[in-house]
mmCIF file of all heavy atoms in Angstrom:
data_model
loop_
_atom_site.group_PDB
_atom_site.id
_atom_site.type_symbol
_atom_site.label_atom_id
_atom_site.label_comp_id
_atom_site.label_asym_id
_atom_site.label_seq_id
_atom_site.Cartn_x
_atom_site.Cartn_y
_atom_site.Cartn_z
ATOM 1 N N TRP A 1 80.890 34.566 18.650
ATOM 2 C CA TRP A 1 80.134 35.403 17.717
ATOM 3 C C TRP A 1 80.823 36.741 17.524
ATOM 4 O O TRP A 1 81.466 37.272 18.429
ATOM 5 C CB TRP A 1 78.718 35.641 18.246
ATOM 6 C CG TRP A 1 77.884 34.399 18.321
ATOM 7 C CD1 TRP A 1 77.748 33.561 19.382
ATOM 8 C CD2 TRP A 1 77.102 33.851 17.267
ATOM 9 N NE1 TRP A 1 76.928 32.521 19.076
ATOM 10 C CE2 TRP A 1 76.501 32.667 17.778
ATOM 11 C CE3 TRP A 1 76.831 34.223 15.949
ATOM 12 C CZ2 TRP A 1 75.663 31.868 17.025
ATOM 13 C CZ3 TRP A 1 75.984 33.431 15.197
ATOM 14 C CH2 TRP A 1 75.413 32.269 15.724
ATOM 15 N N GLY A 2 80.650 37.315 16.331
ATOM 16 C CA GLY A 2 81.145 38.654 16.047
ATOM 17 C C GLY A 2 80.235 39.708 16.649
ATOM 18 O O GLY A 2 79.114 39.422 17.081
ATOM 19 N N SER A 3 80.695 40.922 16.668
ATOM 20 C CA SER A 3 79.944 42.020 17.291
ATOM 21 C C SER A 3 78.651 42.341 16.553
ATOM 22 O O SER A 3 77.759 42.989 17.105
ATOM 23 C CB SER A 3 80.824 43.278 17.345
ATOM 24 O OG SER A 3 81.262 43.638 16.039
ATOM 25 N N GLU A 4 78.512 41.885 15.286
ATOM 26 C CA GLU A 4 77.290 42.186 14.532
ATOM 27 C C GLU A 4 76.128 41.286 14.934
ATOM 28 O O GLU A 4 75.021 41.421 14.415
ATOM 29 C CB GLU A 4 77.541 42.071 13.024
ATOM 30 C CG GLU A 4 77.881 40.674 12.530
ATOM 31 C CD GLU A 4 79.373 40.387 12.537
ATOM 32 O OE1 GLU A 4 80.086 40.943 13.392
ATOM 33 O OE2 GLU A 4 79.824 39.603 11.681
ATOM 34 N N PHE A 5 76.378 40.342 15.851
ATOM 35 C CA PHE A 5 75.317 39.455 16.344
ATOM 36 C C PHE A 5 75.201 39.619 17.867
ATOM 37 O O PHE A 5 75.566 38.728 18.628
ATOM 38 C CB PHE A 5 75.618 37.995 16.002
ATOM 39 C CG PHE A 5 75.733 37.732 14.525
ATOM 40 C CD1 PHE A 5 76.984 37.602 13.932
ATOM 41 C CD2 PHE A 5 74.597 37.623 13.735
ATOM 42 C CE1 PHE A 5 77.095 37.354 12.574
ATOM 43 C CE2 PHE A 5 74.711 37.375 12.377
ATOM 44 C CZ PHE A 5 75.954 37.258 11.788
ATOM 45 N N PRO A 6 74.662 40.761 18.320
ATOM 46 C CA PRO A 6 74.648 41.028 19.769
ATOM 47 C C PRO A 6 73.559 40.295 20.540
ATOM 48 O O PRO A 6 73.744 39.975 21.708
ATOM 49 C CB PRO A 6 74.425 42.547 19.827
ATOM 50 C CG PRO A 6 73.636 42.836 18.573
ATOM 51 C CD PRO A 6 74.133 41.880 17.535
ATOM 52 N N ASP A 7 72.430 39.993 19.908
ATOM 53 C CA ASP A 7 71.316 39.420 20.664
ATOM 54 C C ASP A 7 71.064 37.975 20.256
ATOM 55 O O ASP A 7 71.384 37.554 19.141
ATOM 56 C CB ASP A 7 70.040 40.249 20.446
ATOM 57 C CG ASP A 7 69.598 40.228 18.997
ATOM 58 O OD1 ASP A 7 70.164 41.010 18.188
ATOM 59 O OD2 ASP A 7 68.718 39.416 18.666
ATOM 60 N N PRO A 8 70.486 37.167 21.144
ATOM 61 C CA PRO A 8 70.250 35.742 20.877
ATOM 62 C C PRO A 8 69.390 35.476 19.645
ATOM 63 O O PRO A 8 69.625 34.503 18.927
ATOM 64 C CB PRO A 8 69.549 35.267 22.149
ATOM 65 C CG PRO A 8 70.016 36.210 23.214
ATOM 66 C CD PRO A 8 70.144 37.531 22.524
ATOM 67 N N ALA A 9 68.387 36.309 19.398
ATOM 68 C CA ALA A 9 67.497 36.088 18.260
ATOM 69 C C ALA A 9 68.260 36.201 16.944
ATOM 70 O O ALA A 9 68.077 35.393 16.024
ATOM 71 C CB ALA A 9 66.344 37.090 18.292
ATOM 72 N N THR A 10 69.131 37.176 16.842
ATOM 73 C CA THR A 10 69.926 37.366 15.623
ATOM 74 C C THR A 10 70.910 36.211 15.445
ATOM 75 O O THR A 10 71.123 35.718 14.338
ATOM 76 C CB THR A 10 70.697 38.690 15.687
ATOM 77 O OG1 THR A 10 69.798 39.764 15.908
ATOM 78 C CG2 THR A 10 71.444 38.941 14.379
ATOM 79 N N ARG A 11 71.481 35.781 16.547
ATOM 80 C CA ARG A 11 72.418 34.666 16.492
ATOM 81 C C ARG A 11 71.720 33.380 16.052
ATOM 82 O O ARG A 11 72.250 32.616 15.251
ATOM 83 C CB ARG A 11 73.073 34.461 17.857
ATOM 84 C CG ARG A 11 74.017 35.588 18.260
ATOM 85 C CD ARG A 11 74.624 35.340 19.625
ATOM 86 N NE ARG A 11 75.554 36.404 19.988
ATOM 87 C CZ ARG A 11 76.248 36.430 21.128
ATOM 88 N NH1 ARG A 11 76.094 35.437 21.999
ATOM 89 N NH2 ARG A 11 77.077 37.432 21.388
ATOM 90 N N LEU A 12 70.514 33.134 16.584
ATOM 91 C CA LEU A 12 69.757 31.941 16.221
ATOM 92 C C LEU A 12 69.417 31.968 14.732
ATOM 93 O O LEU A 12 69.526 30.946 14.045
ATOM 94 C CB LEU A 12 68.479 31.845 17.046
ATOM 95 C CG LEU A 12 67.576 30.643 16.733
ATOM 96 C CD1 LEU A 12 68.330 29.336 16.966
ATOM 97 C CD2 LEU A 12 66.312 30.694 17.583
ATOM 98 N N GLU A 13 69.027 33.126 14.229
ATOM 99 C CA GLU A 13 68.695 33.250 12.809
ATOM 100 C C GLU A 13 69.925 32.976 11.944
ATOM 101 O O GLU A 13 69.831 32.276 10.917
ATOM 102 C CB GLU A 13 68.161 34.659 12.528
ATOM 103 C CG GLU A 13 67.739 34.872 11.085
ATOM 104 C CD GLU A 13 67.203 36.274 10.849
ATOM 105 O OE1 GLU A 13 67.016 37.022 11.822
ATOM 106 O OE2 GLU A 13 66.966 36.628 9.666
ATOM 107 N N ALA A 14 71.074 33.507 12.352
ATOM 108 C CA ALA A 14 72.308 33.281 11.597
ATOM 109 C C ALA A 14 72.711 31.815 11.644
ATOM 110 O O ALA A 14 73.152 31.238 10.639
ATOM 111 C CB ALA A 14 73.426 34.161 12.155
ATOM 112 N N LEU A 15 72.534 31.184 12.813
ATOM 113 C CA LEU A 15 72.893 29.773 12.961
ATOM 114 C C LEU A 15 71.986 28.893 12.101
ATOM 115 O O LEU A 15 72.452 27.962 11.441
ATOM 116 C CB LEU A 15 72.794 29.359 14.424
ATOM 117 C CG LEU A 15 73.255 27.938 14.766
ATOM 118 C CD1 LEU A 15 74.706 27.734 14.386
ATOM 119 C CD2 LEU A 15 73.051 27.661 16.250
ATOM 120 N N GLU A 16 70.690 29.179 12.096
ATOM 121 C CA GLU A 16 69.748 28.420 11.268
ATOM 122 C C GLU A 16 70.094 28.562 9.792
ATOM 123 O O GLU A 16 70.023 27.599 9.019
ATOM 124 C CB GLU A 16 68.319 28.896 11.532
ATOM 125 C CG GLU A 16 67.778 28.493 12.898
ATOM 126 C CD GLU A 16 66.362 29.005 13.114
ATOM 127 O OE1 GLU A 16 65.939 29.920 12.360
ATOM 128 O OE2 GLU A 16 65.692 28.507 14.034
ATOM 129 N N PHE A 17 70.473 29.778 9.377
ATOM 130 C CA PHE A 17 70.846 30.027 7.985
ATOM 131 C C PHE A 17 72.085 29.216 7.608
ATOM 132 O O PHE A 17 72.152 28.613 6.527
ATOM 133 C CB PHE A 17 71.111 31.518 7.768
ATOM 134 C CG PHE A 17 71.521 31.865 6.362
ATOM 135 C CD1 PHE A 17 70.576 31.985 5.355
ATOM 136 C CD2 PHE A 17 72.859 32.061 6.041
ATOM 137 C CE1 PHE A 17 70.950 32.295 4.060
ATOM 138 C CE2 PHE A 17 73.243 32.365 4.744
ATOM 139 C CZ PHE A 17 72.282 32.486 3.756
ATOM 140 N N ALA A 18 73.067 29.182 8.520
ATOM 141 C CA ALA A 18 74.307 28.446 8.258
ATOM 142 C C ALA A 18 74.043 26.948 8.146
ATOM 143 O O ALA A 18 74.518 26.286 7.214
ATOM 144 C CB ALA A 18 75.325 28.724 9.361
ATOM 145 N N VAL A 19 73.264 26.388 9.084
ATOM 146 C CA VAL A 19 72.981 24.954 9.075
ATOM 147 C C VAL A 19 72.172 24.576 7.840
ATOM 148 O O VAL A 19 72.430 23.555 7.200
ATOM 149 C CB VAL A 19 72.227 24.538 10.355
ATOM 150 C CG1 VAL A 19 71.746 23.097 10.252
ATOM 151 C CG2 VAL A 19 73.126 24.705 11.574
ATOM 152 N N GLU A 20 71.203 25.398 7.486
ATOM 153 C CA GLU A 20 70.350 25.105 6.327
ATOM 154 C C GLU A 20 71.151 25.055 5.036
ATOM 155 O O GLU A 20 70.818 24.290 4.117
ATOM 156 C CB GLU A 20 69.248 26.169 6.210
ATOM 157 C CG GLU A 20 68.317 26.011 5.025
ATOM 158 C CD GLU A 20 67.391 24.804 5.128
ATOM 159 O OE1 GLU A 20 67.379 24.131 6.185
ATOM 160 O OE2 GLU A 20 66.677 24.543 4.140
ATOM 161 N N ASN A 21 72.241 25.812 4.966
ATOM 162 C CA ASN A 21 73.005 25.900 3.722
ATOM 163 C C ASN A 21 74.342 25.172 3.771
ATOM 164 O O ASN A 21 75.196 25.381 2.897
ATOM 165 C CB ASN A 21 73.239 27.379 3.372
ATOM 166 C CG ASN A 21 71.958 28.086 2.972
ATOM 167 O OD1 ASN A 21 71.497 27.978 1.845
ATOM 168 N ND2 ASN A 21 71.363 28.810 3.922
ATOM 169 N N LEU A 22 74.524 24.298 4.748
ATOM 170 C CA LEU A 22 75.744 23.481 4.785
ATOM 171 C C LEU A 22 75.794 22.565 3.561
ATOM 172 O O LEU A 22 74.749 22.120 3.068
ATOM 173 C CB LEU A 22 75.774 22.638 6.057
ATOM 174 C CG LEU A 22 76.141 23.357 7.361
ATOM 175 C CD1 LEU A 22 75.941 22.407 8.541
ATOM 176 C CD2 LEU A 22 77.575 23.849 7.323
ATOM 177 N N PRO A 23 76.997 22.243 3.075
ATOM 178 C CA PRO A 23 77.113 21.352 1.899
ATOM 179 C C PRO A 23 76.903 19.876 2.234
ATOM 180 O O PRO A 23 77.006 19.031 1.355
ATOM 181 C CB PRO A 23 78.549 21.607 1.417
ATOM 182 C CG PRO A 23 79.286 22.021 2.638
ATOM 183 C CD PRO A 23 78.301 22.794 3.473
ATOM 184 N N VAL A 24 76.639 19.561 3.492
ATOM 185 C CA VAL A 24 76.330 18.182 3.904
ATOM 186 C C VAL A 24 74.994 18.187 4.622
ATOM 187 O O VAL A 24 74.533 19.214 5.118
ATOM 188 C CB VAL A 24 77.427 17.599 4.833
ATOM 189 C CG1 VAL A 24 78.744 17.497 4.107
ATOM 190 C CG2 VAL A 24 77.557 18.442 6.098
ATOM 191 N N GLY A 25 74.363 17.017 4.673
ATOM 192 C CA GLY A 25 73.101 16.908 5.379
ATOM 193 C C GLY A 25 73.324 16.862 6.882
ATOM 194 O O GLY A 25 74.213 16.182 7.366
ATOM 195 N N VAL A 26 72.511 17.604 7.620
ATOM 196 C CA VAL A 26 72.588 17.624 9.078
ATOM 197 C C VAL A 26 71.180 17.496 9.628
ATOM 198 O O VAL A 26 70.251 18.171 9.163
ATOM 199 C CB VAL A 26 73.231 18.922 9.612
ATOM 200 C CG1 VAL A 26 73.185 18.955 11.136
ATOM 201 C CG2 VAL A 26 74.661 19.047 9.132
ATOM 202 N N SER A 27 71.009 16.619 10.614
ATOM 203 C CA SER A 27 69.694 16.457 11.230
ATOM 204 C C SER A 27 69.848 16.133 12.701
ATOM 205 O O SER A 27 70.886 15.620 13.140
ATOM 206 C CB SER A 27 68.889 15.353 10.543
ATOM 207 O OG SER A 27 69.504 14.097 10.747
ATOM 208 N N LEU A 28 68.798 16.443 13.463
ATOM 209 C CA LEU A 28 68.723 16.078 14.871
ATOM 210 C C LEU A 28 67.537 15.130 15.015
ATOM 211 O O LEU A 28 66.426 15.445 14.580
ATOM 212 C CB LEU A 28 68.537 17.313 15.745
ATOM 213 C CG LEU A 28 68.667 17.087 17.263
ATOM 214 C CD1 LEU A 28 70.097 16.677 17.608
ATOM 215 C CD2 LEU A 28 68.264 18.342 18.035
ATOM 216 N N ILE A 29 67.773 13.956 15.599
ATOM 217 C CA ILE A 29 66.765 12.901 15.661
ATOM 218 C C ILE A 29 66.576 12.463 17.105
ATOM 219 O O ILE A 29 67.541 12.344 17.862
ATOM 220 C CB ILE A 29 67.204 11.695 14.805
ATOM 221 C CG1 ILE A 29 67.442 12.131 13.356
ATOM 222 C CG2 ILE A 29 66.168 10.576 14.853
ATOM 223 C CD1 ILE A 29 68.083 11.074 12.501
ATOM 224 N N ARG A 30 65.327 12.234 17.487
ATOM 225 C CA ARG A 30 65.049 11.693 18.819
ATOM 226 C C ARG A 30 65.471 10.227 18.875
ATOM 227 O O ARG A 30 65.652 9.588 17.846
ATOM 228 C CB ARG A 30 63.564 11.837 19.149
ATOM 229 C CG ARG A 30 63.060 13.284 19.174
ATOM 230 C CD ARG A 30 61.575 13.338 19.484
ATOM 231 N NE ARG A 30 61.058 14.699 19.420
ATOM 232 C CZ ARG A 30 60.601 15.265 18.300
ATOM 233 N NH1 ARG A 30 60.587 14.560 17.161
ATOM 234 N NH2 ARG A 30 60.155 16.499 18.306
ATOM 235 N N LEU A 31 65.594 9.699 20.059
ATOM 236 C CA LEU A 31 66.051 8.329 20.220
ATOM 237 C C LEU A 31 65.075 7.310 19.635
ATOM 238 O O LEU A 31 65.469 6.178 19.337
ATOM 239 C CB LEU A 31 66.294 8.009 21.703
ATOM 240 C CG LEU A 31 67.414 8.820 22.376
ATOM 241 C CD1 LEU A 31 67.613 8.337 23.801
ATOM 242 C CD2 LEU A 31 68.714 8.716 21.594
ATOM 243 N N ASP A 32 63.817 7.687 19.459
ATOM 244 C CA ASP A 32 62.853 6.764 18.847
ATOM 245 C C ASP A 32 62.894 6.820 17.324
ATOM 246 O O ASP A 32 62.130 6.128 16.654
ATOM 247 C CB ASP A 32 61.431 7.043 19.345
ATOM 248 C CG ASP A 32 60.912 8.410 18.908
ATOM 249 O OD1 ASP A 32 61.679 9.177 18.272
ATOM 250 O OD2 ASP A 32 59.736 8.708 19.204
#
C-alpha cells in the first residue's frame, strides 16, 4: 500500500472500490 492508506479501514474501502470496478466479474463463493 501507498502512504495515503495508513489505516486498515481506508485500505479496505480502497480495496472494495477496486474490486467493485474491475473490468471482469469477481466473486467469492462458499463450498455449498
